[in-house]
Amino acid sequence: MKAQLIDGKMISAEIKAEAAAEAAALKEQGIEPCLAVVLVGDNSASKVYVSNKEKACAAVGIKSVSHVLSGETTEEELLALIDALNKDANVHGILVQMPLPKQIDERKVILAISPEKDVDCFHPMNVGNLHTGAKGFLPCTPAGIIELIKRSGHSIEGKNCVVIGRSNIVGKPVAMLLMQENGTVTICHSKTKDLVGICRGADIIVSATGKVDTVTADMVKEGAIIIDVGMNRNAEGKLCGDVDFENVKEVAGAITPVPGGVGPMTIAMLMKNCNTAARIQNGI
Ligand code: NDP
């Protein structure tokens, strides 16, 4: 294998250790960071995500309180719970696991969470802060991607960065963060013409399409950094990313695996945001 393997498990462990030290320091000041996790319905993937978040909180020393609601919960009931959590001074972060059942408007839920407790960084106020470069929460997966690149020894400044995907959760915010790191960013999507040609000019490619083989070796410049956000199943049912890892790793300079790349970073960055929330709400 030619490319450096960017180890998300190791880097996320480093970040969780930093978050644990920060949580311990907050506790010494009498503040116990606390995350409220809300799960509505019994989507099996969501249950796994929620349980992983609870485990990470326990490992880092952040208190977590779970609210598991039935799939028949009304929008009104969920908004009432969020209102109570907003008012609870012992709760610093609120995370409502998406997707929500169809009777509940996700946008209304995102708007209802107090921006100070919005550890997912989905509220338009926090999205605005991100875009204007103001201090505050950073969205977990995109911020995790920046950490992966930097902590594996690469700089973003002056690099041609291509982001494939323009979702509110990954594509748009990661493009913004790459630009703030002084990268020159191109955002591609399903209507992009000549994706191959654009990628061939990239020093850094971030793929977040959810489509197997979005990035193949012929699209990759020798030595480029490849970040694979995708979480897909291949024809054999095995977890895989958007990138043709086996062939791209022979051309790229550095590459993230799936699993073990971007995935573990999301929760590690969430732990950091919980500490940030506790600090913001205590004016420190
Ligand atoms: P969305 O489905 O919301 O967005 C996918 C984006 O990819 C869209 O902008 C779409 O374009 C674009 N796209 C789709 N196919 C192509 C293509 N063939 N060529 C170019 N662009 C294409 O997905 P998300 O952003 O929510 O997630 C993307 C992937 O990342 C998924 O596999 C998801 O599971 C994974 N993910 C992983 C996380 C982690 O922690 N590791 C966290 C979040 C997501 P258009 O806008 O034109 O439709």
Side-chain angles (χ1 to χ4, degrees):
M1 165 158 168
K2 180 183 167 291
Q4 169 199 9
L5 191 71
I6 299 179
D7 188 343
K9 276 193 199 154
M10 192 192 76
I11 297 173
S12 65
E14 240 171 65
I15 292 173
K16 280 196 246 174
E18 290 165 15
E22 198 184 356
L26 283 166
K27 277 187 206 156
E28 276 182 18
Q29 298 178 66
I31 301 160
E32 185 179 24
C34 173
L35 173 69
V37 183
V38 182
L39 174 65
V40 188
D42 50 21
N43 178 318
S44 51
S46 293
K47 279 186 184 164
V48 174
Y49 294 143
V50 165
S51 134
N52 289 343
K53 286 165 190 171
E54 288 165 345
K55 281 185 203 148
C57 281
V60 165
I62 290 173
K63 187 176 170 192
S64 71
V65 182
S66 295
H67 297 264
V68 180
L69 310 181
S70 94
E72 279 74 53
T73 302
T74 64
E75 188 176 280
E76 213 179 358
E77 285 165 338
L78 178 58
L79 292 177
L81 171 62
I82 292 170
D83 186 45
L85 294 172
N86 281 339
K87 289 176 178 147
D88 184 342
N90 294 319
V91 169
H92 303 105
I94 303 172
L95 186 149
V96 179
Q97 186 63 50
M98 305 289 176
L100 291 167
K102 58 181 181 323
Q103 73 274 16
I104 300 175
D105 181 347
E106 286 187 358
R107 193 168 160 78
K108 274 195 196 161
V109 170
I110 289 170
L111 283 169
I113 297 172
S114 160
E116 290 199 332
K117 299 192 178 190
D118 171 39
V119 284
D120 261 335
C121 196
F122 289 165
H123 192 288
M125 170 100 84
N126 289 322
V127 175
N129 281 340
L130 170 70
H131 282 238
T132 52
K135 264 182 91 176
F137 298 118
L138 293 177
C140 300
T141 304
I145 291 168
I146 301 297
E147 292 293 335
L148 278 180
I149 298 172
K150 293 195 342 189
R151 292 187 189 227
S152 56
H154 304 280
S155 104
I156 297 166
E157 183 158 327
K159 300 272 167 69
N160 286 331
C161 307
V162 171
V163 176
I164 317 176
R166 55 174 163 181
S167 71
N168 289 333
I169 298 176
V170 189
K172 283 183 208 160
V174 80
M176 188 54 60
L177 291 176
L178 288 164
M179 187 174 69
Q180 283 170 5
E181 294 290 335
N182 297 320
T184 302
V185 183
T186 306
I187 305 175
C188 300
H189 44 77
S190 68
K191 308 289 185 294
T192 295
K193 295 200 170 91
D194 193 22
L195 181 66
V196 173
I198 294 169
C199 285
R200 280 183 185 154
D203 303 306
I204 299 174
I205 298 176
V206 177
S207 183
T209 64
K211 301 267 156 52
V212 176
D213 286 349
T214 300
V215 179
T216 48
D218 59 313
M219 298 164 75
V220 174
K221 186 167 87 173
E222 185 90 22
I225 299 167
I226 311 297
I227 307 293
D228 191 350
V229 190
M231 288 198 302
N232 315 306
R233 297 271 164 199
N234 65 13
E236 292 87 54
K238 226 179 106 196
L239 184 66
C240 69
D242 293 351
V243 176
D244 173 12
F245 183 86
E246 284 311 312
N247 293 308
V248 170
K249 73 179 174 22
E250 303 303 330
V251 186
I255 188 167
T256 60
V258 177
V262 175
M265 296 300 291
T266 302
I267 290 186
M269 300 312 288
L270 174 68
M271 298 298 105
K272 282 214 145 182
N273 277 352
C274 291
N275 287 331
T276 303
R279 275 194 280 105
I280 292 173
Q281 283 152 64
N282 285 281
I284 50 173

